[in-house]
Amino acid sequence: MAMSAHEVVRFLRTHYGDRASEPGLLGNGEWSQAYAFALDGRALVIRVGAHPQDFAKDEVMSAVASPALPIPAILERGECAAGHFAVSERGYGVFLDDLDEQGMRAVLPALFAALDAVRTIDTSGTAGYGLWSPAGVAPYASWQEALLSVGDGPENPRTPGWRAALHSSATGSGPFNTAFAALKHMAREMPLGRHVIHSDLLNRNVLVDGPRVTAVLDWGNAMYGDALYDAAWFLYWWPWFPAWSRIDMGAEFMRHWRASSSVPHRWRDRLLCYQLHIGLEAQAYHAFKARWTELEYTARRTLELLHGRT
Ligand SMILES: Nc1ncnc2c1ncn2[C@@H]1O[C@H](COP(=O)(O)OP(=O)(O)OP(=O)(O)O)[C@@H](O)[C@H]1O
Ligand SMILES: [Mg+2]
């Protein structure tokens, strides 16, 4: 499925002729590869992958970008020999993941402003909860159902066989089942608001330059549901980044909410509920990928959160 650099060169040559420069590999992602190139001297990125709806969602989101929420514009999408491609503007900066403590502290205000901008995107012309299609339709009638689909629903076609893999792993299904039982209990109490959620705001999807966020990439996993989910994402993954251990991210969120008079109602329960969901999704994903160390980590982290030992 993966497209070699050679094939990308050939595709750009046939598609754009002399207007395109030689591409250079930017990153080999989980779902696509990205190459930087120039078209008529303009810095762009071509991504090639199997899931055209991911690129289409990026396009939908670039239409609602703003200075606080920069999202590279998509210039062209289509099919090619290796699947689907999207050509977009190139974002510059360093990945959020790679920041040291000082760098992270410097960008926190812009990061919170980006999260606020995501939360205020108008969802009135869209429907449903959970992972949305480029047309703005998500499959679940309630947020609760969307959350519970991690353990109740049919297997996600992108992670086939994860249940069996988890079951036969050294970690086993026990930690998943315990956390899922708790999620079932908590999900009932979650609010019904429908906001855009990015749901993958790490993993080299956010570019920053000093105190500025310069690009928020990869909206393929975006959902409709409670905007606090994106805050829970940071809290869940924070300990994975030793460089940030002296930043109390929960306290930073609270400081931001207080300053903007927007402390979320019942934030403690909501953040815990979504962190359980994130931990369950992660276990399913790592089991599918046969990443046993990460599976063990996420299983343990999720139970620790559940038992209030973090
Ligand atoms: N418009 C862009 N500007 C700059 N860098 C980009 C752009 N689009 C993608 N990238 C970078 O290229 C790499 C591959 O991204 P891609 O979206 O193709 O795959 P992915 O599955 O998201 O990868 P990853 O697992 O690294 O997030 C990522 O590190 C991403 O940050
Ligand atoms: Mg990505």
Side-chain angles (χ1 to χ4, degrees):
M1 174 61 248
M3 199 177 189
S4 68
H6 182 68
E7 288 172 295
V8 173
V9 170
R10 204 165 47 201
F11 174 75
L12 290 177
R13 219 25 93 234
T14 23
H15 202 67
Y16 292 122
D18 290 345
R19 298 170 57 209
S21 73
E22 201 73 7
L25 185 65
L26 256 185
N28 224 332
E30 299 279 339
W31 307 108
S32 61
Q33 290 100 45
Y35 291 84
F37 74 107
L39 184 66
D40 302 325
R42 185 177 179 194
L44 301 178
V45 168
I46 180 165
R47 285 176 296 159
V48 181
H51 300 286
Q53 64 277 26
D54 290 355
F55 300 151
K57 287 174 77 173
D58 286 347
E59 187 167 11
V60 167
M61 289 305 300
S62 68
V64 294
S66 62
L69 182 65
I71 302 170
I74 304 268
L75 278 67
E76 195 179 350
R77 293 190 290 115
E79 282 182 55
C80 56
H84 299 265
F85 75 93
V87 172
S88 56
E89 286 175 338
R90 181 165 179 189
Y92 284 98
V94 297
F95 294 120
L96 197 61
D97 313 54
D98 298 332
L99 294 178
D100 60 13
E101 179 182 338
Q102 204 188 349
M104 179 52 84
R105 286 194 191 277
V107 82
L108 276 182
L111 192 59
F112 292 141
L115 287 172
D116 288 343
V118 176
R119 195 186 60 227
T120 49
I121 291 167
D122 182 15
T123 57
S124 57
T126 67
Y129 291 86
L131 205 69
W132 45 272
S133 73
V137 179
Y140 299 100
S142 72
W143 178 223
Q144 182 188 343
E145 257 180 89
L147 290 168
L148 296 186
S149 68
V150 64
D152 268 351
E155 271 192 5
N156 181 337
R158 290 207 196 181
T159 52
W162 71 263
R163 270 179 216 282
L166 179 65
H167 190 70
S168 58
S169 71
T171 302
S173 305
F176 184 98
N177 294 340
T178 303
F180 185 58
L183 178 74
K184 268 188 163 163
H185 191 73
M186 295 194 81
R188 277 185 241 145
E189 311 291 328
M190 293 301 114
L192 304 176
R194 280 179 68 255
H195 301 277
V196 172
I197 301 168
H198 181 287
S199 91
D200 195 11
L201 286 172
L202 283 164
N203 296 318
R204 289 159 297 162
N205 289 329
V206 181
L207 283 167
V208 312
D209 181 12
R212 294 184 312 127
V213 169
T214 51
V216 182
L217 308 167
D218 265 3
W219 295 84
N221 290 325
M223 304 191 285
Y224 296 133
D226 185 353
L228 220 49
Y229 192 97
D230 277 333
W233 188 265
F234 284 106
L235 298 178
Y236 183 89
W237 291 110
W238 208 252
W240 185 261
F241 297 85
W244 309 338
S245 64
R246 293 196 310 182
I247 304 176
D248 181 344
M249 192 53 168
E252 295 295 336
F253 268 112
M254 189 49 72
R255 206 197 315 275
H256 170 69
W257 290 329
R258 289 220 172 95
S260 52
S261 305
S262 60
V263 178
H265 184 58
R266 297 187 54 231
W267 56 271
R268 216 184 291 272
D269 286 351
R270 286 157 74 189
L271 289 174
L272 176 57
C273 180
Y274 306 148
Q275 287 187 88
L276 294 182
H277 182 267
I278 290 161
L280 290 164
E281 289 274 18
Q283 287 174 65
Y285 186 69
H286 292 318
F288 161 71
K289 282 284 192 177
R291 290 181 180 155
W292 310 123
T293 312
E294 288 88 342
L295 170 62
E296 182 61 27
Y297 175 91
T298 48
R300 187 167 353 108
R301 167 103 180 112
T302 310
L303 287 184
E304 282 171 1
L305 283 160
L306 177 60
H307 297 127
R309 286 200 301 262
T310 56

